[in-house]
Amino acid sequence: MSQWQGRILRRIQELAALHRKISDAGPPMFDDGTSGDSEQVWNERLELLTVQREQAEYAALLGGVDPGWVVDARELGWRGAPPEPRVVRQHPARADQAQEFYLDMLELDLWTMERMAGLEAARMDRIATGRWTFDTNPIEVAQFADNMAALHTRVTVLAAAARLTPAEGESLWGASVEGIRRVHAVTFAAYTEQTLAQAWNGYARADPALAVPPYVPRDPDTGTPTDTTQVAPPTPRKMLADATSALRSQFVDTAIRQAEPTDLAAESTAITAVVDAALGEDTAWTWETDPDPVPGSAGQIGIDNGPDL
């Protein structure tokens, strides 16, 4: 995403956080002891912040920001969390318009992968803690994994087409974008069970994206992509681990803010159990091997086809 998009999302987050802060403080925040109109000033300030935030959201949407990012930034601000050092990723510069297009498509698919990992981490957490009442359909779980694996191959192909360097790859999906994972974790933690299930099911349909986008350069005889630069994104397994870590960090933050000191040990034990359940020998999310970063021929997925059932 462009730097402008990053700034506008941060602005939305900050305005929502300020609105929450002033709303919680109440009219006494503007009581100067003499004028007696603190409630009016308080209401006017809240209305101004609302207008400013809505204008920023409208500008973001007009500028091509994904609506889901706008919602995530707003909710993160409303929940009172301070802005992360990096809420959006660094977009590598390209003079070549085709490579710029490949990067735009790559970032969209990468965001989808991160969102899927966040949803799966949240779902597994609720299963492990007894807060999930829906049945687990192994066919849907396998399809969800297949769809995420296909996206991994797709991002790998786009990274090659955009001639992504290892340093640029690190800036797109490395440790510096932990803020993105935290945004997803905070958002999904606030979802109701039904909302989370609906969002997860949306990615478990049998209509995955093509593993090899039709617009990347191909060999006319074999149909395989001609760019083979090996800079691959994290595997789905690694993304799930990162999403679970971000969710755990959110739990820890909540425990520190809300729990009594005597409850912190129990909370930590519960968190550890959730993480172990999410990343242990769970057959609902296990690959025999990591995805192969070398894509196969057109229309094929150059990775294994998901979990063994």
Side-chain angles (χ1 to χ4, degrees), residues 45 113 216:
R45 182 63 60 86
M113 284 188 69
V216 299

Side-chain angles (χ1 to χ4, degrees), residues 252-265:
V252 170
D253 290 344
T254 301
I256 292 174
R257 289 195 304 267
Q258 298 180 359
E260 294 294 333
T262 54
D263 294 333
L264 291 179

Side-chain angles (χ1 to χ4, degrees), residues 84-99:
E84 296 289 347
R86 288 282 300 279
V87 179
V88 294
R89 65 188 86 252
Q90 180 71 38
H91 184 85
R94 288 291 187 276
D96 185 281
Q97 291 186 354
Q99 291 185 7

Side-chain angles (χ1 to χ4, degrees), residues 16-181:
L18 185 57
H19 189 285
R20 170 67 182 274
K21 178 180 178 180
I22 293 177
S23 178
D24 290 346
M29 183 178 185
F30 300 96
D31 187 2
D32 58 5
T34 58
S35 61
D37 58 355
S38 59
E39 184 168 358
Q40 179 181 348
V41 175
W42 178 69
N43 285 323
E44 290 175 350
R45 182 63 60 86
L46 291 177
E47 290 175 1
L48 175 61
L49 289 171
T50 298
V51 170
Q52 290 176 332
R53 178 183 52 77
E54 290 176 348
Q55 289 176 341
E57 292 179 359
Y58 183 63
L61 295 174
L62 288 180
V65 178
D66 188 283
W69 275 106
V70 174
V71 173
D72 287 349
R74 181 205 311 151
E75 291 189 0
L76 184 58
W78 277 346
R79 290 176 65 84
E84 296 289 347
R86 288 282 300 279
V87 179
V88 294
R89 65 188 86 252
Q90 180 71 38
H91 184 85
R94 288 291 187 276
D96 185 281
Q97 291 186 354
Q99 291 185 7
E100 182 72 17
F101 172 73
Y102 298 146
L103 282 174
D104 287 341
M105 295 299 99
L106 180 155
E107 291 181 13
L108 178 61
D109 290 334
L110 187 61
W111 181 88
T112 302
M113 284 188 69
E114 290 165 341
R115 182 174 174 82
M116 292 177 71
L119 285 167
E120 178 66 0
R123 185 183 75 91
M124 294 177 71
D125 158 58
R126 298 195 187 196
I127 291 175
T129 54
R131 295 178 294 128
W132 189 259
T133 59
F134 294 102
D135 293 334
T136 299
N137 185 329
I139 296 178
E140 290 181 345
V141 171
Q143 187 64 60
F144 186 97
D146 285 347
N147 293 351
M148 194 170 179
L151 278 173
H152 180 273
T153 300
R154 184 181 175 93
V155 171
T156 302
V157 170
L158 288 168
R163 307 291 177 86
L164 206 67
T165 67
E168 289 172 337
E170 179 66 19
S171 73
L172 288 173
W173 50 65
S176 62
V177 294
E178 175 64 19
I180 294 175
R181 293 184 280 269

